[in-house]
Amino acid sequence: MPTVRTNKDRMSDMSKRDFYELLGLDRSASGAEIKSAYRKLAMKYHPDRNPGDAEAEAAFKDVSEAYEILKDEQKRAAYDQYGHAAFEGGGPGGFGGGAGFGQDFSSSFADVFDDLFGEFMGGRRQSRSRGADLRYNMEISLEDAFEGKETTISVPGTISCDACDGSGAEPGTQPTTCPTCSGSGKVRAQQGFFTIERTCPSCNGAGRIIQNPCTKCSGSGRIEKHRKLQVNIPAGVEDGMRIRLTGEGETGMRGAPSGDLYIFLSLTPHKLFQRDGQDVFCRVPISVTTAALGGQIEVPTLGGGRTRVTIPEGTQSGRQFRIRGKGMPLMRGRGNGDMYIQTSIETPVKLTREQKRLLKEFEAAGNEKNNPESHGFFSRVKEFFDQSK
C-alpha cells in the first residue's frame, strides 16, 4: 500500500506528492485501476474508520484530491502535461481554481459509493422490483425417485402482460424517464461531509414514469395466470430435496427480472419398502417351518424386478440379508445403494386340533439344543431367583 502525505509532511514539505504515486499507480493506469486504487485507500483512511486521527483525515483528503483529477480525462491530460501547476490559479492547463476539496470531493466519493455499498443502497432498487420467488410442493412415489420422472405441473402466478409486453404502458405509448432522478431510480442529497442516497420518491426507484397505464395490467406489466411447466426429476432424489427453476417465479414489475420457482419434493410412504439414504429395507414375514428348515423366498425389488433369497436353517427373527446394488441410485455418482431383507418369523394362528397335537409332540421331542437362546435365558432367570432367596 503506498504511503500518503500527512499533516506533518505538509508542514515540512510544501510541495505536493505526485497523484499517481499517492494512489500507487503507474502513469499508464486505466480508469478502472484508478477507481479501484482510490476505493481501497478511501476505505482505509475514511474518518469514520479513524475517528480523531488527523493524519488519516489528511491522507483521505490527499487521495480524494488525486482521484478527483485523474478520474476526469481532461483534467488528467492537463495534469500529465503541466503537473500540479495546471490547477493552481489559472495555470496553463486552463483549470484555475485548484482541484479543491469541497463539492468536487463529494462527487468523487459518490462515484465509488455504489461499488462499496451498492448492495444496500443503489442495488436495492433492482432487488425490490425483481419478481418474488415461488414455492411448489410436489409428492412423488419411491418408484419415481428410483427411476426419475418428467412431469408437467400447473403453477399459479403472474406472467408478463401480453398487451403491453410487460412495460406497463398502454399499447402505442412508452414510459418516460423520471425527471426527478433522470432515470437512475435514486436521488442524492448533500448533508455536510456526506452524500446521502435514497430511492427516488417520484418513480419509487423504477427510473421511469408511466403516463398512460396499460388497461389490462393496470400499469404493473404483469397479469395473473396459471402456467404449465415441464419438470425433470432426476433419479435418486431424496425426501425434502428442492429443484430450482431459474426465472420461473413471479414476473418482475414492468419488465424487471422474474423470481425463481422452488419445487420441494416429498416421498409418499411405500407399502413394501422403507428408505434410509441410498439403501432400501424390506420386512419379510416367513413361516416357522421355513425359518427352522430353511428354504427360498422371492422378494420384489424397486424397478419392477424380483430376486430370490436363500433362508438358511435356524434363521432367527430380525436377521437381515443384504442384496448389493438393489437400492436407490446415487445422484452424484455411479451405482446404487443396497437392499436389505429383514426376516420376521410369523407365529401360526387359528390352529386345528391336529396341528396343536403335532406341535405338542414336537415340543415333547425337543431338547435344549433346539432352543438354546430361550433355554439359556430361563436358566439365568432361575439362577437369579435362587440367589435372591
Side-chain angles (χ1 to χ4, degrees):
M1 187 65 69
T3 57
V4 294
R5 186 161 52 99
T6 64
N7 282 339
K8 183 177 180 180
D9 298 326
R10 290 172 182 268
M11 295 177 64
S12 60
D13 182 8
M14 298 302 293
S15 62
K16 287 189 176 182
R17 290 278 303 279
D18 181 82
F19 286 157
Y20 291 100
E21 183 183 351
L22 276 170
L23 298 179
L25 299 169
D26 295 331
R27 302 187 77 85
S28 60
S30 65
E33 291 173 333
I34 293 173
K35 187 174 184 179
S36 176
Y38 170 64
R39 179 173 61 180
K40 293 177 182 178
L41 292 172
M43 292 301 293
K44 178 180 180 180
Y45 294 111
H46 195 281
D48 285 351
R49 290 193 171 186
N50 305 275
D53 188 338
E55 292 191 354
E57 181 180 354
F60 184 60
K61 292 180 179 180
D62 279 347
V63 296
S64 298
E65 183 181 16
Y67 177 65
E68 174 63 29
I69 296 300
L70 299 184
K71 73 169 184 174
D72 185 284
E73 292 185 2
Q74 293 183 344
K75 291 182 180 180
R76 181 180 180 182
Y79 178 77
D80 289 344
Q81 184 173 2
Y82 300 107
H84 296 295
F87 309 97
E88 295 176 354
F95 292 94
F101 188 70
Q103 187 66 29
D104 287 341
F105 157 71
S106 298
S107 64
S108 297
F109 194 66
D111 285 341
V112 296
F113 193 78
D114 284 344
D115 290 340
L116 299 174
F117 307 104
E119 181 180 352
F120 305 101
M121 298 294 290
R124 190 180 292 172
R125 177 169 64 94
Q126 182 176 355
S127 63
R128 220 182 3 245
S129 58
R130 176 182 179 270
D133 293 334
L134 299 179
R135 172 173 178 154
Y136 185 93
N137 296 326
M138 178 187 293
E139 284 193 354
I140 60 173
S141 65
L142 188 60
E143 286 84 357
D144 291 336
F146 177 80
E147 298 176 352
K149 179 181 180 180
E150 286 190 5
T151 186
T152 302
I153 61 174
S154 179
V155 181
T158 58
I159 62 173
S160 180
C161 177
D162 54 0
C164 63
D165 293 328
S167 69
E170 187 68 18
T173 67
Q174 293 293 331
T176 59
T177 301
C178 175
T180 303
C181 64
S182 300
S184 67
K186 48 196 174 182
V187 292
R188 289 170 175 165
Q190 186 73 27
Q191 291 188 4
F193 190 72
F194 294 100
T195 298
I196 305 300
E197 185 178 85
R198 59 189 177 89
T199 300
C200 176
S202 300
C203 63
N204 294 320
R208 302 180 302 171
I209 294 178
I210 298 176
Q211 302 290 349
N212 300 302
C214 173
T215 55
K216 186 172 183 178
C217 64
S218 301
S220 67
R222 57 188 184 180
I223 56 176
E224 293 188 5
K225 187 177 182 180
H226 278 69
R227 295 172 295 146
K228 292 188 179 296
L229 300 174
Q230 290 292 123
V231 180
N232 179 34
I233 300 172
V237 294
E238 296 188 40
D239 189 82
M241 279 189 171
R242 67 180 188 178
I243 298 174
R244 177 185 178 185
L245 300 182
T246 304
E248 296 295 349
E250 188 178 69
T251 302
M253 291 283 289
R254 300 172 185 171
S258 298
D260 299 330
L261 174 65
Y262 291 89
I263 299 175
F264 285 76
L265 302 176
S266 60
L267 272 61
T268 55
H270 199 275
K271 294 180 180 179
L272 298 177
F273 304 107
Q274 295 81 43
R275 179 180 181 177
D276 184 7
Q278 304 308 127
D279 296 328
V280 175
F281 293 81
C282 181
R283 180 177 173 273
V284 180
I286 60 175
S287 66
V288 173
T289 53
T290 301
L293 303 177
Q296 281 193 337
I297 59 174
E298 190 176 70
V299 294
T301 60
L302 282 172
R306 298 180 181 183
T307 187
R308 288 185 176 273
V309 179
T310 299
I311 306 296
E313 292 183 8
T315 294
Q316 301 299 310
S317 185
R319 181 173 177 178
Q320 288 186 348
F321 299 88
R322 180 182 182 183
I323 305 174
R324 294 182 181 275
K326 293 297 182 179
M328 298 295 293
L330 303 176
M331 283 192 64
R332 297 176 179 85
R334 295 181 178 180
N336 290 48
D338 299 328
M339 179 176 175
Y340 292 87
I341 303 299
Q342 186 178 43
T343 58
S344 173
I345 300 176
E346 184 179 19
T347 303
V349 296
K350 297 181 180 180
L351 299 176
T352 64
R353 288 184 180 182
E354 180 64 14
Q355 289 171 326
K356 291 179 181 179
R357 184 186 67 79
L358 292 173
L359 281 176
K360 288 179 181 179
E361 289 183 3
F362 172 79
E363 184 178 16
N367 55 51
E368 62 183 52
K369 293 182 180 180
N370 300 131
N371 301 285
E373 188 173 342
S374 61
H375 179 78
F377 174 78
F378 286 110
S379 296
R380 291 190 295 271
V381 170
K382 184 176 181 301
E383 292 176 0
F384 175 77
F385 284 137
D386 291 342
Q387 293 175 356
S388 61
K389 289 181 179 179

